[in-house]
């Protein structure tokens, strides 16, 4: 038994926990709490991996390149190990190792800082010149590219399927999973929270509560979170590759990130949905409950123009479809993981900011231990950082 699985062994703990939100943060926290002996109820309004959730959709990139923010490199390294352990144990294949290639124009400072952090955590990486990269991956046009960073241990994750499976494990290992929605806002009256009201008129009682509600955190806690978690509209596109042409499959092309004026990324293979292209730039403000999820003509045209420039052989590739998801961005793109300032038994976890999904297993491990009494590791995730006002958004996720 590995150390991670040994640490997951059930221990007798007399604690009732309610986790609100069955996405990457909430689901993995619930599973880790169950494995530590807590009596857990996991609730989600529309179910794990649903289309409205920030953790919905088919795929997400997993990589450990985070510039100077080495806390996330460390967390990603732990998460990567946990994804592998989970796949080995349950044989579900949620992690697809393809490697990741980063294409930099004139400024590769982010890549240089990332490489230093990768080296510090013994994660392999390789710098390539555009000519070297073109020999290895001729599918790209390297016009305007000055340097290339390759991260061989990276890849992508099957997001929706993983969320469903984690919830299934919560139930199978002794927890309860319910389709339910917490009434908003959550009422905190200057002491421990004893119960939460649900939209159907019932209530749930518990000793501790974890709210991992993604873009809805601001509605649940308008005073503490409010607009500090901002849902933004993100369009994703799927293009068709030529029949029988394996050049654009994950066997021959890694996950890729074009780090230029905009950060645009893609996933070859992509669970057979098509060649995925997405712009990481935060979009317009978005209502995750009722907002339209139709892709726009302008967004699709921009994606096609990029595809034609960076992948010339796909210039006329058919658009197979697209979807609208959302980021739940904090002002500085850091996570928000902290105790509610007005109730010591209430924890808030969110602000995934477009890069949180991959961290689910590791974040769940940390948060579950903290809920059960361990100190929260030193990081920049606390609510206290907002007291000085809004923080700038950096292009790094």
């Amino acid at each position: 038994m590995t150390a991670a699985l040994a640490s997951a062994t059930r221990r007798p703990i007399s604690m009732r926990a309610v986790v609100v939100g069955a996405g990457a943060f909430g689901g993995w926290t619930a599973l880790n709490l169950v494995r530590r002996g807590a009596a857990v109820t996991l609730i989600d309004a529309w179910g794990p991996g649903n289309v409205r959730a920030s953790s919905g959709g088919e795929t997400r990139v997993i990589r450990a390149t985070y510039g100077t923010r080495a806390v996330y490199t460390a967390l990603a390294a732990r998460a990567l190990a946990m994804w592998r352990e989970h796949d080995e144990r349950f044989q579900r294949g949620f992690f697809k190792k393809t490697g990741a290639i980063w294409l930099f124009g004139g400024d590769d400072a982010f890549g240089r800082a990332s490489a230093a952090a990768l080296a510090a955590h013994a994660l392999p990486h390789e710098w390539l010149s555009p000519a070297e990269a073109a020999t290895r991956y001729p599918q790209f046009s390297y016009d305007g590219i000055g340097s290339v960073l390759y991260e061989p241990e990276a890849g992508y994750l099957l997001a929706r399927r993983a969320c469903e499976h984690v919830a299934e494990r919560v139930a199978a290992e002794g927890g309860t999973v319910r389709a339910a929605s917490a009434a908003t806002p959550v009422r905190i009256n200057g002491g421990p929270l004893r119960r939460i009201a649900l939209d159907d008129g019932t209530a749930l009682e518990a000793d501790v509560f974890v709210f991992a509600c993604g873009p809805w955190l601001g509605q649940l806690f308008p005073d503490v979170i409010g607009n500090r978690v901002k849902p933004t509209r993100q369009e994703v596109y799927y293009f068709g590759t030529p029949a029988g042409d394996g050049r654009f499959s994950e066997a021959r092309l890694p996950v890729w990130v074009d780090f230029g004026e905009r950060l645009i990324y893609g996933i070859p293979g992509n669970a057979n949905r098509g060649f995925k292209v997405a712009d990481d730039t935060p979009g317009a403000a978005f209502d995750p409950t009722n907002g339209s999820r139709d892709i726009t003509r302008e967004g699709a045209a921009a994606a096609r123009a990029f595809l034609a420039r960076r992948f010339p052989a796909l210039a006329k590739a058919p658009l197979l479809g697209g979807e609208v998801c959302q980021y739940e961005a904090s002002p500085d793109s850091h996570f928000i993981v902290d105790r509610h300032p007005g109730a010591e038994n209430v924890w808030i976890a969110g602000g995934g900011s477009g890069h949180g999904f991959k961290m689910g297993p590791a974040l769940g491990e940390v948060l579950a231990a903290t809920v059960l009494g361990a100190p929260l590791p030193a990081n920049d995730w606390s609510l206290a950082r907002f007291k000085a006002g809004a923080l700038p958004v950096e292009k790094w996720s």
Side-chain angles (χ1 to χ4, degrees):
M1 181 181 289
T2 68
L5 293 182
S7 69
T9 302
R10 182 187 302 275
R11 299 197 301 268
I13 296 174
S14 179
M15 177 180 286
R16 297 170 303 163
V18 169
V19 179
V20 183
F25 286 6
W28 284 104
T29 298
L31 184 56
N32 276 277
L33 284 169
V34 166
R35 288 175 172 176
R36 286 159 173 78
V40 176
T41 299
L42 173 65
I43 69 171
D44 195 286
W46 296 287
N50 71 82
V51 72
R52 288 183 172 102
S54 296
S55 295
E58 290 298 327
T59 58
R60 294 291 188 282
V61 172
I62 181 167
R63 42 80 188 183
T65 34
Y66 272 93
T68 59
R69 296 186 171 188
V71 62
Y72 294 107
T73 298
L75 196 67
R78 176 64 182 143
L80 184 60
M82 294 180 76
W83 280 109
R84 287 171 170 158
E85 289 168 354
H86 192 85
D87 273 352
E88 182 179 354
R89 185 179 182 186
F90 294 106
Q91 297 296 304
R92 296 297 296 266
F94 294 128
F95 169 56
K96 307 295 183 182
K97 179 182 173 182
T98 65
I101 188 170
W102 289 72
L103 308 174
F104 295 99
D107 184 0
D108 63 3
F110 177 89
R112 298 291 170 184
S114 297
L118 291 170
H121 290 279
L123 292 171
H125 60 280
E126 182 181 3
W127 280 103
L128 303 171
S129 69
E132 292 169 330
T135 298
R136 191 178 300 184
Y137 302 115
Q139 300 93 323
F140 292 97
S141 165
Y142 294 89
D143 180 44
I145 299 302
S147 57
V148 177
L149 177 64
Y150 178 60
E151 186 184 355
E153 296 301 309
Y156 72 91
L157 301 161
L158 301 180
R160 174 185 56 81
R161 299 180 208 180
C163 288
E164 292 174 344
H165 178 71
V166 169
E168 290 169 2
R169 293 313 312 164
V170 169
E173 296 183 31
T176 300
V177 180
R178 287 183 55 181
S181 177
T184 56
V186 175
R187 304 293 183 182
I188 303 292
N189 298 312
L193 185 65
R194 298 305 181 193
R195 63 172 61 191
I196 58 168
L198 303 180
D199 276 347
D200 63 3
T202 63
L204 284 174
E205 297 184 351
D207 303 306
V208 295
F209 297 85
V210 178
F211 292 88
C213 311
W216 295 278
L217 277 174
Q219 298 174 32
L220 287 166
F221 300 100
D223 53 344
V224 174
I225 299 297
N227 62 7
R228 289 164 179 162
V229 169
K230 178 183 176 182
T232 61
R233 190 179 193 277
Q234 309 296 139
E235 296 191 12
V236 179
Y237 308 94
Y238 305 106
F239 291 91
T241 57
D245 187 345
R247 292 177 298 163
F248 300 99
S249 69
E250 63 192 60
R252 294 174 59 182
L253 191 66
V255 165
W256 52 268
V257 184
D258 190 297
F259 198 97
E261 292 183 5
R262 305 176 77 88
L263 195 157
I264 300 177
Y265 70 93
I267 301 177
N270 188 47
N272 297 321
R273 289 289 307 277
F275 192 85
K276 181 175 180 176
V277 178
D279 190 336
D280 188 66
T281 307
F286 185 63
D287 176 356
T289 303
N290 299 309
S292 170
R293 294 185 182 268
D294 294 331
I295 59 174
T296 62
R297 184 176 301 174
E298 297 78 11
R304 179 175 294 284
F306 171 85
L307 195 69
R309 178 168 61 86
R310 191 59 72 204
F311 297 93
L314 297 180
K316 296 183 179 180
L319 178 63
L320 302 181
E323 61 190 349
V324 174
C325 61
Q326 71 270 329
Y327 287 171
E328 28 138 347
S330 71
D332 57 0
S333 295
H334 277 302
F335 299 159
I336 298 173
V337 182
D338 203 356
R339 196 190 305 267
H340 190 289
E344 63 181 11
N345 67 332
V346 174
W347 290 87
I348 296 171
S353 302
H355 68 102
F357 184 88
K358 71 181 80 63
M359 307 295 193
L363 192 285
E365 180 181 56
V366 169
L367 185 50
T370 303
V371 168
L372 297 177
L376 191 64
N379 50 52
D380 296 315
W381 302 343
S382 75
L383 288 164
R385 75 186 193 264
F386 297 116
K387 291 181 179 178
L391 301 171
V393 174
E394 299 179 29
K395 185 179 74 172
W396 66 286
S397 63

